Protein backbone atom coordinates (compact mmCIF):
# COMPACT_ATOMS: atom_id res chain seq x y z
CA UNK A 1 0.00 0.00 0.00
CA UNK A 2 2.83 2.38 0.91
CA UNK A 3 4.58 1.65 -2.40
CA UNK A 4 1.34 2.33 -4.28
CA UNK A 5 0.93 5.67 -2.48
CA UNK A 6 4.50 6.71 -3.28
CA UNK A 7 4.12 5.73 -6.93
CA UNK A 8 0.83 7.60 -7.21
CA UNK A 9 2.44 10.70 -5.75
CA UNK A 10 5.40 10.44 -8.14
CA UNK A 11 3.08 10.10 -11.14
CA UNK A 12 0.97 13.00 -9.91
CA UNK A 13 4.09 15.13 -9.47
CA UNK A 14 5.26 14.49 -13.03
CA UNK A 15 1.76 15.08 -14.40
CA UNK A 16 1.53 18.38 -12.52
CA UNK A 17 4.94 19.51 -13.74
CA UNK A 18 4.05 18.58 -17.32
CA UNK A 19 1.30 21.17 -17.28
CA UNK A 20 3.84 23.94 -16.68
CA UNK A 21 7.01 22.48 -18.21
CA UNK A 22 5.79 20.62 -21.29
CA UNK A 23 7.84 22.94 -23.52
CA UNK A 24 10.82 23.35 -21.18
CA UNK A 25 13.71 21.19 -22.45
CA UNK A 26 15.39 21.37 -19.02
CA UNK A 27 12.56 19.11 -17.84
CA UNK A 28 13.86 16.27 -20.05
CA UNK A 29 16.21 14.77 -17.40
CA UNK A 30 13.27 14.47 -15.01
CA UNK A 31 11.25 12.62 -17.63
CA UNK A 32 14.23 10.39 -18.44
CA UNK A 33 14.50 9.41 -14.79
CA UNK A 34 10.75 8.82 -14.80
CA UNK A 35 11.14 6.31 -17.66
CA UNK A 36 13.49 4.30 -15.43
CA UNK A 37 10.97 4.52 -12.61
CA UNK A 38 8.21 3.19 -14.88
CA UNK A 39 10.41 0.23 -15.81
CA UNK A 40 11.25 -0.47 -12.19
CA UNK A 41 7.64 -0.25 -11.02
CA UNK A 42 6.03 -1.94 -14.03
CA UNK A 43 3.89 1.07 -14.96
CA UNK A 44 3.47 3.16 -18.11
CA UNK A 45 2.78 6.87 -18.51
CA UNK A 46 2.23 7.45 -22.21
CA UNK A 47 1.67 11.19 -21.86
CA UNK A 48 4.98 11.73 -20.07
CA UNK A 49 6.85 9.49 -22.51
CA UNK A 50 5.41 11.29 -25.53
CA UNK A 51 6.41 14.61 -23.95
CA UNK A 52 10.00 13.36 -23.62
CA UNK A 53 10.07 12.14 -27.21
CA UNK A 54 8.83 15.56 -28.33
CA UNK A 55 11.78 17.16 -26.53
CA UNK A 56 14.01 14.78 -28.48
CA UNK A 57 12.16 15.64 -31.69
CA UNK A 58 12.66 19.39 -31.33
CA UNK A 59 16.10 19.21 -29.70
CA UNK A 60 17.89 16.25 -31.34
CA UNK A 61 21.13 17.15 -29.60
CA UNK A 62 19.72 16.00 -26.24
CA UNK A 63 18.13 12.81 -27.60
CA UNK A 64 19.25 9.55 -25.98
CA UNK A 65 18.73 6.43 -28.05
CA UNK A 66 18.74 4.09 -25.04
CA UNK A 67 15.92 6.04 -23.38
CA UNK A 68 13.89 6.21 -26.60
CA UNK A 69 14.37 2.48 -27.04
CA UNK A 70 13.04 1.77 -23.55
CA UNK A 71 10.00 3.94 -24.24
CA UNK A 72 9.34 2.00 -27.44
CA UNK A 73 9.71 -1.32 -25.64
CA UNK A 74 7.18 -0.15 -23.04
CA UNK A 75 4.83 0.91 -25.81
CA UNK A 76 5.13 -2.50 -27.48
CA UNK A 77 4.11 -4.06 -24.19
CA UNK A 78 0.86 -2.10 -24.43
CA UNK A 79 -0.30 -3.81 -27.65
CA UNK A 80 -2.94 -3.89 -29.09
CA UNK A 81 -3.08 -0.18 -28.19
CA UNK A 82 -1.57 2.26 -30.68
CA UNK A 83 1.12 3.44 -28.22
CA UNK A 84 4.03 2.18 -30.33
CA UNK A 85 2.77 3.92 -33.45
CA UNK A 86 2.25 7.18 -31.55
CA UNK A 87 5.73 7.05 -30.03
CA UNK A 88 7.47 5.99 -33.22
CA UNK A 89 5.87 8.84 -35.13
CA UNK A 90 7.76 11.46 -33.11
CA UNK A 91 11.06 9.66 -32.59
CA UNK A 92 13.69 11.84 -34.33
CA UNK A 93 14.91 10.50 -37.70
CA UNK A 94 18.45 10.24 -36.33
CA UNK A 95 17.24 7.82 -33.68
CA UNK A 96 14.94 5.94 -36.04
CA UNK A 97 18.03 5.05 -38.06
CA UNK A 98 19.74 3.48 -35.05
CA UNK A 99 19.98 -0.33 -35.45
CA UNK A 100 18.31 -0.98 -32.08
CA UNK A 101 15.30 1.15 -33.05
CA UNK A 102 15.15 -0.40 -36.53
CA UNK A 103 15.07 -3.81 -34.86
CA UNK A 104 12.19 -2.80 -32.58
CA UNK A 105 10.25 -1.53 -35.58
CA UNK A 106 10.80 -4.89 -37.26
CA UNK A 107 9.53 -6.72 -34.19
CA UNK A 108 6.48 -4.46 -34.00
CA UNK A 109 5.67 -5.09 -37.67
CA UNK A 110 5.77 -8.85 -37.11
CA UNK A 111 3.53 -8.62 -34.05
CA UNK A 112 0.98 -6.39 -35.73
CA UNK A 113 1.00 -8.66 -38.81
CA UNK A 114 0.62 -11.69 -36.52
CA UNK A 115 3.78 -13.38 -37.75
CA UNK A 116 4.42 -14.59 -34.23
CA UNK A 117 6.83 -17.40 -35.13
CA UNK A 118 9.01 -14.89 -37.00
CA UNK A 119 8.79 -12.50 -34.06
CA UNK A 120 10.12 -15.12 -31.63
CA UNK A 121 12.83 -16.15 -34.09
CA UNK A 122 14.04 -12.55 -34.31
CA UNK A 123 13.77 -12.11 -30.55
CA UNK A 124 16.53 -14.72 -30.17
CA UNK A 125 19.04 -12.03 -31.16
CA UNK A 126 17.44 -9.15 -29.26
CA UNK A 127 18.23 -8.11 -25.71
CA UNK A 128 15.30 -6.44 -23.97
CA UNK A 129 16.15 -5.02 -20.56
CA UNK A 130 12.56 -4.27 -19.51
CA UNK A 131 11.09 -6.80 -17.05
CA UNK A 132 7.85 -8.47 -18.09
CA UNK A 133 8.31 -7.86 -21.81
CA UNK A 134 7.75 -11.44 -22.99
CA UNK A 135 4.82 -11.92 -20.60
CA UNK A 136 3.16 -8.79 -21.99
CA UNK A 137 3.72 -9.94 -25.57
CA UNK A 138 2.27 -13.37 -24.80
CA UNK A 139 -0.74 -11.61 -23.32
CA UNK A 140 -1.21 -9.71 -26.57
CA UNK A 141 -0.80 -12.86 -28.66
CA UNK A 142 -3.28 -14.68 -26.41
CA UNK A 143 -5.79 -11.93 -27.08
CA UNK A 144 -5.39 -12.38 -30.82
CA UNK A 145 -5.78 -16.15 -30.46
CA UNK A 146 -8.91 -15.73 -28.33
CA UNK A 147 -10.37 -13.49 -31.02
CA UNK A 148 -9.49 -15.86 -33.85
CA UNK A 149 -9.87 -19.46 -32.68
CA UNK A 150 -12.31 -21.68 -30.84
CA UNK A 151 -10.03 -24.69 -31.25
CA UNK A 152 -6.29 -24.79 -31.88
CA UNK A 153 -3.73 -27.57 -31.76
CA UNK A 154 -1.15 -27.53 -28.96
CA UNK A 155 1.60 -27.47 -31.58
CA UNK A 156 0.27 -24.35 -33.30
CA UNK A 157 -0.47 -22.65 -30.01
CA UNK A 158 3.02 -23.45 -28.78
CA UNK A 159 4.50 -21.88 -31.91
CA UNK A 160 2.52 -18.68 -31.44
CA UNK A 161 3.39 -18.38 -27.74
CA UNK A 162 6.87 -19.96 -27.91
CA UNK A 163 6.03 -22.42 -25.16
CA UNK A 164 5.73 -26.16 -24.74
CA UNK A 165 5.08 -28.84 -22.13
CA UNK A 166 4.34 -27.61 -18.63
CA UNK A 167 4.97 -23.99 -19.62
CA UNK A 168 2.30 -24.19 -22.31
CA UNK A 169 -0.12 -25.88 -19.89
CA UNK A 170 0.36 -22.97 -17.47
CA UNK A 171 -0.42 -20.46 -20.19
CA UNK A 172 -3.52 -22.41 -21.24
CA UNK A 173 -4.77 -22.24 -17.65
CA UNK A 174 -3.76 -18.60 -17.26
CA UNK A 175 -5.76 -17.47 -20.29
CA UNK A 176 -8.83 -19.51 -19.41
CA UNK A 177 -8.55 -22.05 -22.19
CA UNK A 178 -9.16 -25.81 -21.92
CA UNK A 179 -6.89 -28.67 -22.93
CA UNK A 180 -8.89 -31.51 -24.49
CA UNK A 181 -8.28 -34.56 -26.65
CA UNK A 182 -9.35 -32.50 -29.67
CA UNK A 183 -6.97 -29.67 -28.94
CA UNK A 184 -7.00 -26.44 -26.96
CA UNK A 185 -10.52 -25.08 -26.68
CA UNK A 186 -10.97 -21.32 -26.55
CA UNK A 187 -14.24 -19.98 -25.11
CA UNK A 188 -16.56 -18.56 -27.73
CA UNK A 189 -16.90 -14.80 -27.94
CA UNK A 190 -18.22 -12.24 -30.39
CA UNK A 191 -14.95 -12.17 -32.33
CA UNK A 192 -14.02 -15.83 -32.73
CA UNK A 193 -17.54 -16.93 -33.60
CA UNK A 194 -17.37 -14.64 -36.60
CA UNK A 195 -13.91 -15.74 -37.77
CA UNK A 196 -14.33 -19.49 -37.35
CA UNK A 197 -16.40 -19.81 -40.53
CA UNK A 198 -13.83 -17.83 -42.49
CA UNK A 199 -10.98 -20.01 -41.25
CA UNK A 200 -12.84 -23.14 -42.28
CA UNK A 201 -12.98 -21.79 -45.83
CA UNK A 202 -9.23 -22.04 -46.05
CA UNK A 203 -8.09 -18.57 -45.02
CA UNK A 204 -4.90 -18.84 -42.97
CA UNK A 205 -4.33 -17.45 -39.49
CA UNK A 206 -1.83 -14.93 -40.87
CA UNK A 207 -4.56 -13.48 -43.11
CA UNK A 208 -7.34 -13.38 -40.54
CA UNK A 209 -5.51 -12.33 -37.38
CA UNK A 210 -4.26 -8.90 -38.56
CA UNK A 211 -7.85 -7.97 -39.41
CA UNK A 212 -8.88 -8.97 -35.90
CA UNK A 213 -6.03 -6.94 -34.40
CA UNK A 214 -6.91 -3.89 -36.49
CA UNK A 215 -10.53 -4.01 -35.39
CA UNK A 216 -9.45 -4.24 -31.77
CA UNK A 217 -7.30 -1.09 -32.07
CA UNK A 218 -10.12 1.09 -33.32
Amino acid sequence: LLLHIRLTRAMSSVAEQLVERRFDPTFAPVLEAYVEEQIKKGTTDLDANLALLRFYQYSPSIAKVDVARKILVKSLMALPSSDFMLCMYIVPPSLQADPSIVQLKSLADKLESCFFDKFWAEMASVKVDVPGFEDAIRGYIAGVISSTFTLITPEELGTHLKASGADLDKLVAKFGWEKTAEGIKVPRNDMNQTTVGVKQEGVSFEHVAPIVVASGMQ
Side-chain angles (χ1 to χ4, degrees):
L1 179 59
L2 182 59
L3 178 62
H4 176 72
I5 293 174
R6 288 176 177 173
L7 182 58
T8 301
R9 288 176 177 174
M11 293 177 67
S12 298
S13 175
V14 171
E16 291 169 359
Q17 293 182 70
L18 267 177
V19 175
E20 298 179 355
R21 304 181 65 185
R22 186 175 293 274
F23 302 103
D24 177 7
T26 63
F27 188 44
V30 176
L31 293 175
E32 289 168 346
Y34 187 41
V35 171
E36 296 297 331
E37 183 175 348
Q38 292 174 59
I39 292 172
K40 182 178 179 181
K41 306 299 184 183
T43 61
T44 300
D45 189 329
L46 179 61
D47 189 39
N49 293 341
L50 287 174
L52 177 56
L53 291 177
R54 288 191 186 96
F55 283 137
Y56 288 174
Q57 183 182 38
Y58 295 120
S59 302
S61 62
I62 69 170
K64 297 180 179 178
V65 65
D66 59 326
V67 176
R69 183 175 186 275
K70 289 174 181 177
I71 290 175
L72 291 172
V73 169
K74 291 290 287 183
S75 66
L76 264 184
M77 294 170 68
L79 283 171
S81 75
S82 58
D83 290 14
F84 184 85
M85 179 183 65
L86 292 173
C87 291
M88 197 68 191
Y89 183 74
I90 57 176
V91 171
S94 59
L95 296 191
Q96 289 196 29
D98 185 89
S100 66
I101 303 298
V102 171
Q103 194 169 48
L104 280 181
K105 179 63 168 57
S106 175
L107 290 173
D109 289 343
K110 289 176 175 61
L111 285 173
E112 292 176 350
S113 299
C114 299
F115 295 132
F116 301 134
D117 55 340
K118 295 180 181 179
F119 165 81
W120 291 116
E122 189 168 336
M123 272 296 296
S125 61
V126 178
K127 182 180 179 181
V128 176
D129 51 1
V130 177
F133 176 75
E134 290 193 359
D135 287 342
I137 296 304
R138 286 192 174 94
Y140 162 68
I141 294 173
V144 176
I145 290 170
S146 290
S147 298
T148 310
F149 291 96
T150 56
L151 183 68
I152 182 172
T153 66
E155 293 76 18
E156 187 172 5
L157 181 62
T159 298
H160 294 322
L161 295 176
K162 196 193 175 185
S164 60
D167 290 336
L168 182 59
D169 290 343
K170 290 178 181 178
L171 291 173
V172 168
K174 176 181 178 180
F175 297 122
W177 303 329
E178 181 184 359
K179 187 175 182 180
T180 71
E182 299 176 352
I184 308 299
K185 287 189 175 182
V186 179
R188 290 185 177 276
N189 55 65
D190 291 341
M191 295 296 291
N192 64 19
Q193 288 189 73
T194 301
T195 60
V196 167
V198 176
K199 182 171 172 49
Q200 289 175 343
E201 292 175 6
V203 179
S204 69
F205 172 73
E206 286 75 13
H207 285 90
V208 174
I211 300 173
V212 174
V213 172
S215 64
M217 294 177 65
Q218 294 177 353

